[in-house]
Amino acid sequence: MSKVVIINGSPFTSSRLNGLIQYAEQQLQQKGIEIDYIQVAQLPAEDLIKAKFDSEVILNANQKVEQADGIIIASPVYKAAYTGVLKTYLDLLPQKGLLGKTILPLFIGGTLAHLLSIDYALKPVLSTMGGRYILGGVYAVDAWVTREENEQYSLSEELVQRLDAAVEEFANALNGQKA
């Protein structure tokens, strides 16, 4: 069974990004893939800001990444890039901490103007960390995700179709069917 870690780089627990994450998680679990989480904003701020590589919490988070076959990196887009809190965590992963991992980016932003943030902001960093199989990912606009009751989200049909295709590609890659 494949194991995936979802790294949620949102500084807020109620982000619409959760709609994308929940949908992807459900689709992957239906395929028998085990899911674990790293909620970066819940890691100790002092460990992140002061780059405490030897922090027990950071070491435990890094171990989840090391043991995973695939990584979903999810983030809202601020100022044309992923969040600063996500960057501080990525800086604490080992230099080649993504070697051999299949990676699926999931981003959300206010407008389509930041559509290329995955390609121009995230992928170069992941490549320096050994990431070689980084999927195209999914960029969503806030308006495509509606908050419902009880931390549930409704996604536009277009977004669902794009997520379905991305998750299918991700699952196939995890199963050794890389194109």
Side-chain angles (χ1 to χ4, degrees):
M1 174 192 308
S2 294
K3 185 174 185 179
V4 168
V5 170
I6 298 173
I7 301 174
N8 185 338
S10 177
F12 304 105
T13 57
S14 64
S15 172
R16 287 189 172 120
L17 178 65
N18 293 335
L20 281 72
I21 292 170
Q22 287 175 4
Y23 188 85
E25 176 187 12
Q26 290 168 357
Q27 299 305 306
L28 291 169
Q29 286 176 333
Q30 288 175 8
K31 297 175 183 300
I33 296 172
E34 183 181 337
I35 306 291
D36 203 348
Y37 285 96
I38 298 171
Q39 177 70 41
V40 180
Q42 292 179 352
L43 297 173
E46 184 169 333
D47 293 355
L48 291 169
I49 299 301
K50 293 188 176 180
K52 292 187 176 182
F53 290 92
D54 60 347
S55 157
E56 186 176 328
V57 176
I58 299 300
L59 290 171
N60 288 338
N62 290 353
Q63 186 174 29
K64 288 180 183 184
V65 172
E66 181 182 330
Q67 294 172 352
D69 302 300
I71 310 292
I72 292 178
I73 297 183
S75 179
V77 174
Y78 300 143
K79 304 209 184 324
Y82 53 91
T83 62
V85 71
L86 177 58
K87 178 65 165 93
T88 59
Y89 175 65
L90 292 176
D91 287 345
L92 293 174
L93 280 169
Q95 182 60 42
K96 295 297 178 187
L98 299 178
L99 193 63
K101 309 294 182 198
T102 299
I103 303 166
L104 174 63
L106 299 178
F107 276 25
I108 192 166
T111 72
L112 282 174
H114 301 296
L115 177 66
L116 296 176
S117 58
I118 292 172
D119 291 328
Y120 292 109
L122 183 67
K123 285 185 178 182
V125 173
L126 301 180
S127 292
T128 67
M129 300 174 68
R132 294 294 175 261
Y133 197 63
I134 306 165
L135 303 179
V138 174
Y139 178 87
V141 176
D142 287 340
W144 299 347
V145 180
T146 304
R147 281 191 187 98
E148 306 290 343
E149 295 180 17
N150 301 325
E151 297 293 318
Q152 297 300 309
Y153 299 86
S154 174
L155 309 179
S156 74
E157 185 59 35
E158 177 186 351
L159 180 54
V160 166
Q161 290 173 4
R162 293 176 57 231
L163 283 168
D164 283 344
V167 169
E168 186 68 27
E169 181 184 14
F170 186 57
N172 287 340
L174 291 173
N175 291 322
Q177 301 170 18
K178 295 179 183 175

